[in-house]
Amino acid sequence: MEGEEVSNKQIILKDYVIGFPKESDMILKTSTIKLKVPEGSNAVLLKNLYLSCDPYMRNRMRKMEGSYVESFTPGSPITGYGVAKVVDSGHPNFKKGDLAWGKTGWEEYSLIPTPEVFFKIGHTDVPLSYYTGILGMPGMTAYVGFYEICSPKKGEYVFISAASGAVGQLVGQFAKLMGCYVVGSAGTKEKVDLLKNKFGFDAAFNYKEDQDLDEALKRYFPNGIDIYFENVGGKMLDAVLLNMRIHGRIAACGMISQYNLERPEGIHNLFCLILKRIRLEGFIVNDYYHLYPKFLDMILPYIKEGKIEYVEDIAEGIERSPAALVGLFSGRNVGKQVVVVAHE
Amino acid sequence: MEGEEVSNKQIILKDYVIGFPKESDMILKTSTIKLKVPEGSNAVLLKNLYLSCDPYMRNRMRKMEGSYVESFTPGSPITGYGVAKVVDSGHPNFKKGDLAWGKTGWEEYSLIPTPEVFFKIGHTDVPLSYYTGILGMPGMTAYVGFYEICSPKKGEYVFISAASGAVGQLVGQFAKLMGCYVVGSAGTKEKVDLLKNKFGFDAAFNYKEDQDLDEALKRYFPNGIDIYFENVGGKMLDAVLLNMRIHGRIAACGMISQYNLERPEGIHNLFCLILKRIRLEGFIVNDYYHLYPKFLDMILPYIKEGKIEYVEDIAEGIERSPAALVGLFSGRNVGKQVVVVAHE
């Protein structure tokens, strides 16, 4: 296989996206690729197995400057986190046959010129797709956001929005393991049931059915919220601010409700930050990858002992990836959205 | 004098205030008071010398629940920070003739049932009025907000709004002493000149003359802002968010531009908190008074050596206190607004 020239299905971004992304913003193109790294390079040639659909990718579909992520390049394949097998390597850290996760292309095979941000997969007694989620970027995001940013303490009141997503479901379970009271919001009855029955949240509600979010939060948190894990922004954030407790903490992980708006909604209740001495802190997992080994030491036993549940929503075939990505923004996915490109 | 019954001018809040406060929201009333504490009590009887006009007092004029400060009681005297002389004391920490600062009434004489939050004044080789400002609550606010909340480092880019006020002028000088680049905004040419020529800011601008705050900030901070000391909220905060640097910090001290609005303006750029991993933290000086001795050790030498400048705007006579307080919200004061009730 190595050295061969093969056909390579790719998902190309047509142009920068305004408003709600559509499947037609992406096109499937078939090109060819030689399964060999350039002579003398540090590159790796990967066969992509699983692709990760993540909300932050919406921001890469627009022209952004000064951001933590680069915009996608219209006319080129989308890039994102994925799990891959090394077909050829010029890099000392990787050899043919290695499994790894990191930033790859939305295509069957990718040539990665500098694989410095790839992590070699050492534990294969768990599903490989987990490295797009619980054992990959979203898992690290939940870990860092909760333990490093929220400074949680036993018995605290924790609220998580978009709580059944890749990150939210883990944050909630981390908080339960710590002895917190945990409530999540999600957008369908199915997800709410999942939060309560599968992930062990103390309570959960459908934000689409509660017209008055302030009132809903007061119902679930009569004593207020110590920790808010923010994934959605907008009206939910504004309502949460009214319900925070003194010295509360908000980890701002994402604001998915705002990503398709031309102008984000206004947040009116920021004065609560002063009244209640609240810390609202944005973070990005990229700053914390040095903690990945420590994270694995914690999470792998939890998974193997069944102390943490994990739900994936798997789409089969790279052709389905545009729909899978777009579905994130209508909340179509239940759990972590993964695309299978190939089964090894 | 002690034991005597004397007349006592008081400033009474008529009713909760909606919108912009007016002098007529307060009335001057003359009652009488006996200059003696009740037998067996822990109270102190104070002769008020200086009263402090502070922006946070606007919030006490409305009915608020769950706040760090209690609402004023309509029909009763306004309360606030002040400097006073002890006329009679039932409390072991205070004796007749002591000078102290803390929360007192807007009246000539106050009976304070529990003076636990009063600080005895040990250093009288500085103007006593300073204990309403640089040596009192606003000084501590600047100290805590800058050193504890902003985690400043030498060479960082610091922006301060309402920079000529009691707190802002000190924050700017603290930042300069640390070797930061410091820019302030204020609302008149006179204040801007003060910032540049008296307080040693690197630059200053009149926010009323710069229609495009984003553009103004980009002019003064071509490399962005590391630390924003937030006193005003609203449009300024929204513009600052666009200009923060990665890992920037915002200390939310006040939001004076919003205090007279029925509904605060919406802040649209909070996603910048995530993009740039910014910490936005509200704080209240009350949580930090245990640091007051440490603060005095730092600030007194600076004052005596002329390393820190301090500007007060002094109104003479308790009758002028309603106008002085209301003036804060139109920016009439230049420097810390103080009211002299009596010269000892």
Side-chain angles (χ1 to χ4, degrees):
Chain A
M1 180 183 192
E2 183 197 330
E4 215 181 320
E5 180 154 299
V6 297
S7 88
N8 190 21
K9 288 184 193 159
Q10 301 180 304
I11 305 297
I12 309 287
L13 181 72
K14 276 161 70 177
D15 202 352
Y16 293 124
V17 175
I18 292 166
F20 209 95
K22 306 173 298 296
E23 286 186 54
S24 60
D25 291 323
M26 292 161 269
I27 47 171
L28 179 75
K29 178 181 151 186
T30 303
S31 64
T32 59
I33 186 168
K34 197 173 168 190
L35 299 185
K36 192 150 185 48
V37 299
E39 202 68 46
S41 78
N42 273 323
V44 290
L45 196 296
L46 302 176
K47 180 181 184 184
N48 294 311
L49 305 177
Y50 298 95
L51 299 178
S52 178
C53 298
D54 297 296
Y56 83 93
M57 297 171 77
R58 173 63 186 87
N59 291 312
R60 302 189 62 194
M61 292 180 162
R62 80 185 81 207
K63 197 161 179 57
M64 293 191 100
E65 279 158 26
S67 170
Y68 66 110
V69 285
E70 284 171 23
S71 300
F72 294 132
T73 307
S76 292
I78 282 177
T79 60
Y81 285 94
V83 173
K85 190 165 196 166
V86 177
V87 176
D88 187 25
S89 173
H91 195 283
N93 293 357
F94 298 95
K95 62 176 196 303
K96 185 177 166 179
D98 279 349
L99 293 163
W101 71 270
K103 285 246 176 103
T104 188
W106 278 32
E107 52 195 349
E108 292 175 286
Y109 298 93
S110 295
L111 178 71
I112 308 291
T114 52
E116 266 73 16
V117 292
F118 263 83
F119 299 86
K120 195 140 65 167
I121 293 176
H123 303 268
T124 53
D125 51 351
V126 288
L128 276 184
S129 59
Y130 278 24
Y131 289 92
T132 65
I134 184 168
L135 295 175
M137 182 278 283
M140 269 297 286
T141 300
Y143 174 75
V144 162
F146 186 62
Y147 293 106
E148 300 288 318
I149 307 291
C150 294
S151 317
K153 290 189 285 290
K154 186 177 170 179
E156 287 195 315
Y157 300 98
V158 176
F159 177 57
I160 302 157
S161 53
S164 73
V167 175
Q169 58 176 279
L170 294 174
V171 174
Q173 292 179 85
F174 291 157
K176 282 308 299 172
L177 285 166
M178 179 162 261
C180 296
Y181 169 82
V182 182
V183 179
S185 63
T188 66
K189 183 179 181 309
E190 182 184 6
K191 295 179 187 180
V192 167
D193 289 344
L194 206 57
L195 292 173
K196 290 193 284 194
N197 303 327
K198 177 115 183 151
F199 300 130
F201 283 46
D202 294 288
F205 66 93
N206 183 341
Y207 72 90
K208 291 179 181 165
E209 284 181 358
D210 267 296
Q211 285 306 304
D212 187 335
L213 294 174
D214 177 38
E215 189 219 10
L217 290 169
K218 285 187 168 50
R219 200 160 62 236
Y220 292 104
F221 294 97
N223 300 313
I225 299 167
D226 292 299
I227 289 175
Y228 172 45
F229 199 97
E230 163 69 306
N231 289 316
V232 302
K235 291 180 183 58
M236 184 63 91
L237 175 56
D238 236 359
V240 166
L241 284 166
L242 297 174
N243 288 282
M244 290 297 290
R245 302 182 89 189
I246 283 175
H247 293 129
R249 287 133 275 148
I250 301 176
C253 176
M255 296 186 174
I256 194 172
S257 74
Q258 306 298 299
Y259 294 167
N260 300 315
L261 304 178
E262 285 210 49
R263 188 182 190 211
E265 291 177 87
I267 303 297
H268 297 270
N269 297 323
L270 285 178
F271 190 64
C272 293
L273 296 180
I274 301 180
L275 287 179
K276 297 165 179 177
R277 301 87 131 171
I278 293 164
R279 171 159 55 81
L280 165 53
E281 188 163 354
F283 74 100
I284 290 175
V285 65
N286 305 34
D287 295 336
Y288 296 89
Y289 277 134
H290 58 281
L291 300 176
Y292 185 62
K294 194 177 150 199
F295 166 66
L296 277 188
D297 287 347
M298 184 197 83
I299 194 91
L300 283 167
Y302 279 151
I303 294 174
K304 289 172 189 169
E305 293 160 18
K307 286 194 180 150
I308 284 197
E309 298 285 342
Y310 180 58
V311 172
E312 296 178 303
D313 191 327
I314 296 191
E316 195 75 36
I318 193 168
E319 299 80 0
R320 300 234 170 109
S321 53
L325 180 57
V326 164
L328 290 179
F329 303 99
S330 59
R332 198 207 46 74
N333 59 306
V334 178
K336 167 67 196 176
Q337 181 66 59
V338 185
V339 176
V340 186
V341 181
H343 296 273
E344 286 230 36
Chain B
M1 181 183 189
E2 182 197 330
E4 216 182 319
E5 180 152 300
V6 297
S7 89
N8 192 20
K9 288 183 193 158
Q10 301 180 304
I11 305 296
I12 308 289
L13 181 72
K14 275 160 74 176
D15 202 353
Y16 294 125
V17 175
I18 293 167
F20 210 93
K22 305 174 297 299
E23 285 185 55
S24 60
D25 291 324
M26 294 162 267
I27 45 170
L28 178 74
K29 180 182 151 186
T30 302
S31 64
T32 60
I33 186 169
K34 198 174 168 190
L35 299 184
K36 191 148 187 49
V37 299
E39 203 67 47
S41 78
N42 273 324
V44 291
L45 196 296
L46 301 176
K47 179 181 183 187
N48 293 310
L49 306 178
Y50 298 95
L51 298 176
S52 178
C53 297
D54 297 296
Y56 82 93
M57 297 171 78
R58 173 64 188 87
N59 292 312
R60 304 189 62 194
M61 292 181 162
R62 80 186 82 209
K63 198 162 177 59
M64 291 191 101
E65 278 158 27
S67 169
Y68 65 111
V69 285
E70 284 173 21
S71 298
F72 294 131
T73 309
S76 293
I78 281 178
T79 59
Y81 285 95
V83 173
K85 189 164 196 168
V86 177
V87 175
D88 187 25
S89 171
H91 194 282
N93 292 357
F94 297 95
K95 63 176 195 302
K96 185 177 165 179
D98 280 349
L99 292 162
W101 71 270
K103 286 248 176 101
T104 188
W106 277 32
E107 53 195 348
E108 291 175 286
Y109 298 92
S110 294
L111 179 71
I112 308 292
T114 52
E116 267 74 16
V117 290
F118 263 84
F119 298 86
K120 196 141 61 169
I121 292 175
H123 302 268
T124 52
D125 51 350
V126 289
L128 274 184
S129 58
Y130 278 25
Y131 288 93
T132 65
I134 185 169
L135 295 175
M137 181 278 283
M140 270 297 286
T141 300
Y143 174 76
V144 162
F146 185 62
Y147 293 106
E148 301 288 318
I149 307 293
C150 293
S151 317
K153 289 189 285 290
K154 185 178 171 178
E156 287 195 317
Y157 300 98
V158 176
F159 177 57
I160 302 156
S161 52
S164 72
V167 175
Q169 58 176 279
L170 294 175
V171 173
Q173 292 179 85
F174 291 156
K176 282 307 300 174
L177 285 166
M178 180 162 260
C180 296
Y181 169 82
V182 182
V183 179
S185 63
T188 66
K189 182 178 182 310
E190 182 186 5
K191 294 178 189 181
V192 166
D193 288 344
L194 207 56
L195 292 173
K196 290 193 284 194
N197 303 327
K198 177 114 181 151
F199 299 131
F201 283 47
D202 294 289
F205 65 94
N206 182 341
Y207 72 90
K208 290 179 181 165
E209 285 182 356
D210 266 296
Q211 285 306 304
D212 187 334
L213 294 174
D214 177 36
E215 190 220 8
L217 291 168
K218 285 187 167 51
R219 201 160 62 235
Y220 291 105
F221 294 97
N223 299 314
I225 299 166
D226 292 298
I227 289 175
Y228 174 45
F229 199 97
E230 163 68 307
N231 289 314
V232 302
K235 291 178 182 61
M236 184 64 90
L237 175 56
D238 235 359
V240 166
L241 285 166
L242 296 174
N243 288 282
M244 290 298 290
R245 301 182 90 190
I246 283 175
H247 294 128
R249 289 132 273 148
I250 301 175
C253 176
M255 296 186 173
I256 193 172
S257 74
Q258 307 297 300
Y259 294 167
N260 300 314
L261 305 177
E262 285 209 50
R263 188 182 191 211
E265 291 176 88
I267 303 296
H268 298 270
N269 297 323
L270 284 178
F271 190 63
C272 293
L273 297 179
I274 300 179
L275 287 181
K276 297 166 180 177
R277 303 86 130 172
I278 293 165
R279 171 159 56 82
L280 164 54
E281 186 163 355
F283 75 100
I284 290 176
V285 63
N286 306 34
D287 294 337
Y288 296 89
Y289 277 134
H290 58 282
L291 299 177
Y292 185 60
K294 194 176 150 200
F295 165 65
L296 278 187
D297 287 347
M298 183 197 82
I299 193 92
L300 283 168
Y302 278 151
I303 294 174
K304 289 173 188 169
E305 294 160 17
K307 285 192 182 150
I308 284 197
E309 299 286 341
Y310 180 57
V311 172
E312 295 178 302
D313 191 328
I314 296 192
E316 195 74 36
I318 192 167
E319 298 80 359
R320 299 232 172 109
S321 54
L325 179 57
V326 164
L328 290 179
F329 303 100
S330 59
R332 199 205 46 74
N333 59 306
V334 178
K336 166 66 194 176
Q337 181 66 60
V338 184
V339 176
V340 186
V341 181
H343 295 273
E344 282 230 41

